[in-house]
């Protein structure tokens, strides 16, 4: 066995194979023009709807307007929801088309595949966030005290979390019908309890306890921190770390569900 | 010369059903071994076992001296599933280049593999826009690209026109002459004549392991299908 062959056959993560896989996923996306258009434009249009909804609602002096508060939060929720859905369907396709089984017979490690998806959709989410944040702050006049770059960073972290949970959820779906129904199961409870509808400290104790273990809560808190503070706060960095940690945990669990040998 | 593949006492269950009942055989290197048998005889399960994606109840499967599915084998064994397993939303070339990159190879090798299966003219087309037979050849190209020492092909010629079928068999024999070990499954007996060796599978049992010439002699017929039937009947008489 040659040294090159030994190196190729290791089961550890390879940056080269991860990048090749991310490139492949992005090329698949590139052929799907409508999906690209929807990814880039849809969140801005929905945000516009919210802007028009609250345009004429008066704001109490010294408080953030409803749109500033909700719009900012939505910048973190859109990428999470969209990437969760896109990834769970993409991974399910990989399973049902036989390409997953084939990939598992090649030198590609399971984590290479998952990280490749994370990288590809993370990049897609970054483009989406740049468009959405750009339009929100210029056209809709969304007021953010902190750095716009931090808003984009948090949006990308949320997207990667969505990707990781989508990869994990797809393991439990046999059909597309099942896969799309994991969206309400995984996403809606997190949305209800994330602190946007009711601030977390005003929830019942047991609801707070649940909210505190759901990663989206931290994503929303991070955005709220950027919303009021001109500089990055320690709380915000902790929140971002929690979101990233949850994404890594979900990826590890997803890797464990990818069985090379099946019955 | 050592066998490329050795199987002994292989038992595989799928659900509660026993699919393979203790198979044992050896596949010589550098030859085309045909895996023949009717639909449902266990061909695909056996091939999945050879590439290490099938859970095995008991028995041993050794490929190129290592247990089937070992990490060290993944760059040395190629597998083409029965249904084309490539990305329908990528072009032929993009599919081949992705699989080439998984083996540490470049677009030059990818383009050569596309040419080997006669798809250079369609290289820029989306797989989605190709015919079923063309898709199957894309799938084959994605396995050829890694230059595997063992190539496991599950019904690679289904739905192909006769000219293409002959061309593919020529390609298989060219690969074998260059040292590749091929295991090719088929449910049509007229392809059996093109193989160097034959494994006849029926209801998860190995009915025969021989050469086309030997099978004709054993089954007392110049027609392989007829010879196969004679063997099946003889086996059933023994069992009765």
């Amino acid at each position: 066995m040659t040294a090159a062959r030994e190196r190729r056959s290791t089961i550890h993560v390879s940056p080269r194979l991860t990048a090749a896989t991310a490139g492949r996923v992005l090329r698949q996306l590139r052929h799907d023009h409508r999906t690209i258009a929807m990814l880039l434009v849809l969140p801005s249009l929905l945000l516009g709807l919210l802007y028009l909804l609250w345009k004429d609602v008066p704001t109490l002096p010294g408080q953030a307007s409803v749109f500033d508060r909700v719009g900012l939060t939505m910048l973190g929720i859109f990428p999470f929801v969209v990437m969760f859905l896109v990834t769970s369907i993409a991974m399910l396709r990989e399973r049902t088309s036989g390409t997953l089984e084939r990939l598992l017979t090649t030198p590609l490690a399971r984590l290479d595949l998952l990280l490749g998806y994370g990288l590809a959709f993370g990049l897609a989410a970054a483009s989406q966030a740049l468009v959405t944040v750009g339009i929100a702050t210029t056209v809709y006049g969304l007021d953010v005290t902190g750095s716009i770059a931090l808003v984009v960073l948090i949006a990308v972290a949320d997207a990667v979390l969505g990707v990781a949970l989508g990869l994990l959820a797809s393991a439990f779906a046999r059909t597309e019908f099942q896969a799309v129904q994991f969206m309400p199961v995984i996403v809606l409870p997190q949305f209800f309890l994330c602190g946007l509808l009711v601030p977390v400290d005003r929830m019942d104790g047991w609801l707070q306890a649940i909210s505190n273990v759901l990663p989206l809560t931290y994503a929303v808190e991070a955005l709220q921190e950027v919303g009021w503070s001109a500089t990055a706060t320690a709380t915000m960095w902790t929140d971002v770390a929690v979101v990233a940690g949850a994404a890594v945990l979900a990826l590890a669990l997803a890797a464990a569900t990818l069985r090379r040998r099946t019955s | 010369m050592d066998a490329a593949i050795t199987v002994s006492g292989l038992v595989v269950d799928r659900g509660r059903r026993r699919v393979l009942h203790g198979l044992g055989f050896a596949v010589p290197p550098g030859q085309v071994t045909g895996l023949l048998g009717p639909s449902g005889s266990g061909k695909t399960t056996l091939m999945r076992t050879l590439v290490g994606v099938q859970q095995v109840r008991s028995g041993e499967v050794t490929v190129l001296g290592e247990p089937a599915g070992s990490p060290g084998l993944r760059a040395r064994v190629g597998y083409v599933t029965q249904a084309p397993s490539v990305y329908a939303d990528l072009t032929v070339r993009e599919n081949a280049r992705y699989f080439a990159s998984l083996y540490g190879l470049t677009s030059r090798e990818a383009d050569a593999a596309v040419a080997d299966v006669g798809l250079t003219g369609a290289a820029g087309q989306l797989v989605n826009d190709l015919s079923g037979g063309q898709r199957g050849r894309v799938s084959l190209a994605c396995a050829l690209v890694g230059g595997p020492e063992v190539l496991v092909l599950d019904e690679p010629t289904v739905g192909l026109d006769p000219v293409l079928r002959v061309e593919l068999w020529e390609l298989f024999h060219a690969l074998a002459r260059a040292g590749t070990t091929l295991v090719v499954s088929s449910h049509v007996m007229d392809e059996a004549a093109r193989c160097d060796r034959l494994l006849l599978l029926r209801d998860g049992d190995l009915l025969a392991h021989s050469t086309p010439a030997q099978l004709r002699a054993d089954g007392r017929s110049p027609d392989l299908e007829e010879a196969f039937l004679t063997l099946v009947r003889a086996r059933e008489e023994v069992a009765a």
Side-chain angles (χ1 to χ4, degrees):
Chain A
M1 199 188 258
T2 64
R5 179 152 274 152
E6 261 172 47
R7 204 166 48 237
R8 262 188 260 157
S9 62
T10 55
I11 52 165
H12 298 104
V13 175
S14 141
R16 188 176 54 75
L17 296 185
T18 300
T21 301
R24 185 263 294 174
V25 174
L26 286 174
R27 267 188 286 279
Q28 286 179 287
L29 205 55
R30 203 182 61 196
H31 287 294
D32 188 349
H33 299 146
R34 193 176 301 177
T35 295
I36 293 181
M38 289 173 79
L39 273 178
L40 291 181
V41 177
L42 215 53
S44 302
L45 293 178
L46 289 171
L47 212 55
L49 202 58
L50 288 178
Y51 166 72
L52 295 171
L53 191 65
W54 286 309
K55 185 164 58 83
D56 300 322
V57 175
T59 305
L60 291 174
Q63 281 199 357
S65 73
V66 183
F67 178 68
D68 281 350
R69 194 168 62 81
V70 177
L72 181 61
T73 310
M74 293 313 287
L75 290 177
I77 291 175
F78 283 136
F80 174 70
V81 176
V82 172
M83 292 306 158
F84 175 86
L85 269 177
V86 170
T87 314
S88 53
I89 295 290
M91 194 62 192
L92 188 71
R93 262 200 227 160
E94 194 96 67
R95 284 173 198 273
T96 53
S97 70
T99 47
L100 177 65
E101 176 159 299
R102 175 176 214 155
L103 290 178
L104 293 177
T105 68
T106 72
L108 183 76
R110 292 175 294 178
L111 260 179
D112 288 328
L113 176 65
L114 298 177
L115 291 175
Y117 267 104
L119 188 58
F121 287 131
L123 285 171
S127 330
Q128 184 191 55
L130 283 172
V131 171
T132 317
V133 173
I135 290 184
T137 50
T138 55
V139 181
Y140 308 144
L142 184 83
D143 202 11
V144 183
T145 311
S147 153
I148 296 296
L150 286 176
V151 176
V152 174
L153 172 78
I154 297 167
V156 171
D158 288 354
V160 173
L161 175 68
V163 169
L165 288 174
L167 290 170
L168 178 59
S170 83
F172 302 97
R174 291 278 162 274
T175 65
E176 279 88 347
F177 287 165
Q178 293 175 12
V180 291
Q181 296 201 75
F182 276 113
M183 204 278 277
V185 172
I186 307 280
V187 172
L188 285 186
Q190 298 207 57
F191 176 68
F192 293 159
L193 297 178
C194 72
L196 175 67
L197 304 183
V198 175
V200 177
D201 54 18
R202 274 195 260 148
M203 293 176 195
D204 276 353
W206 66 280
L207 281 177
Q208 271 190 40
I210 297 174
S211 175
N212 286 337
V213 296
L214 298 177
L216 198 63
T217 306
Y218 298 88
V220 167
E221 190 183 55
L223 284 167
Q224 287 168 345
E225 293 285 305
V226 180
W228 67 262
S229 168
T231 55
T233 64
T235 308
M236 188 217 77
W237 286 119
T238 311
D239 289 336
V240 171
V242 170
V243 172
V248 170
L249 182 66
L251 275 180
L253 289 173
T257 65
L258 282 184
R259 291 256 171 270
R260 203 174 286 278
R261 281 180 194 272
T262 50
S263 59
Chain B
M1 205 178 207
D2 282 349
I5 300 171
T6 322
V7 173
S8 65
L10 176 63
V11 176
V12 174
D13 293 340
R14 299 192 79 175
R16 283 195 202 149
R17 207 165 64 85
R18 180 144 297 183
V19 182
L20 299 178
H21 307 261
L23 301 189
F25 60 87
V27 173
Q31 290 194 0
V32 180
T33 298
L35 182 55
L36 275 290
S39 178
S41 57
K43 300 191 294 293
T44 297
T45 303
L46 177 54
M47 298 190 124
R48 282 168 46 86
T49 308
L50 299 183
V51 297
V53 295
Q54 175 67 51
Q55 273 174 12
V56 170
R57 174 94 195 183
S58 61
E60 274 185 44
V61 181
T62 309
V63 178
L64 300 171
E66 290 186 61
S70 305
L73 288 176
R74 282 180 206 139
R76 307 172 72 195
V77 177
Y79 175 40
V80 181
T81 51
Q82 196 170 343
S85 48
V86 286
Y87 299 98
D89 48 358
L90 289 181
T91 65
V92 174
R93 188 183 291 121
E94 287 170 337
N95 268 293
R97 289 186 178 179
Y98 174 55
F99 282 97
S101 69
L102 298 185
Y103 297 103
L105 302 170
T106 63
S107 50
R108 194 155 44 91
E109 283 96 347
D111 294 346
V114 171
D116 280 344
V117 298
L119 281 178
T120 302
Q125 276 182 264
L126 286 181
V127 169
N128 214 11
D129 298 335
L130 301 180
S131 70
Q134 285 174 315
R135 286 184 201 201
R137 282 187 284 152
V138 181
S139 201
L140 178 60
C142 292
L144 290 178
V145 72
E149 294 163 60
V150 171
L151 193 49
V152 179
L153 308 171
D154 200 352
E155 309 239 3
T157 58
V158 168
L160 290 186
D161 85 70
V163 179
L164 272 175
R165 232 159 68 155
V166 170
E167 279 177 19
L168 275 189
W169 276 100
E170 280 167 3
L171 174 64
F172 298 160
H173 283 289
L175 289 168
R177 277 194 300 276
T180 308
T181 304
L182 290 95
V183 178
V184 183
S185 77
S186 176
H187 66 275
V188 283
M189 290 301 288
D190 69 340
E191 293 200 323
R194 300 183 183 280
C195 300
D196 299 315
R197 299 191 67 81
L198 293 175
L199 292 163
L200 294 188
L201 212 56
R202 192 165 188 270
D203 292 335
D205 282 311
L206 196 60
L207 214 59
H209 180 201
S210 76
T211 61
Q214 188 63 45
L215 182 65
R216 286 191 188 97
D218 292 346
R220 291 182 212 88
S221 167
D223 180 55
L224 282 170
E225 178 121 33
E226 196 64 39
F228 180 59
L229 278 173
T230 307
L231 286 180
V232 171
R233 289 198 194 103
R235 168 79 60 111
E236 276 167 1
E237 270 166 33
V238 171

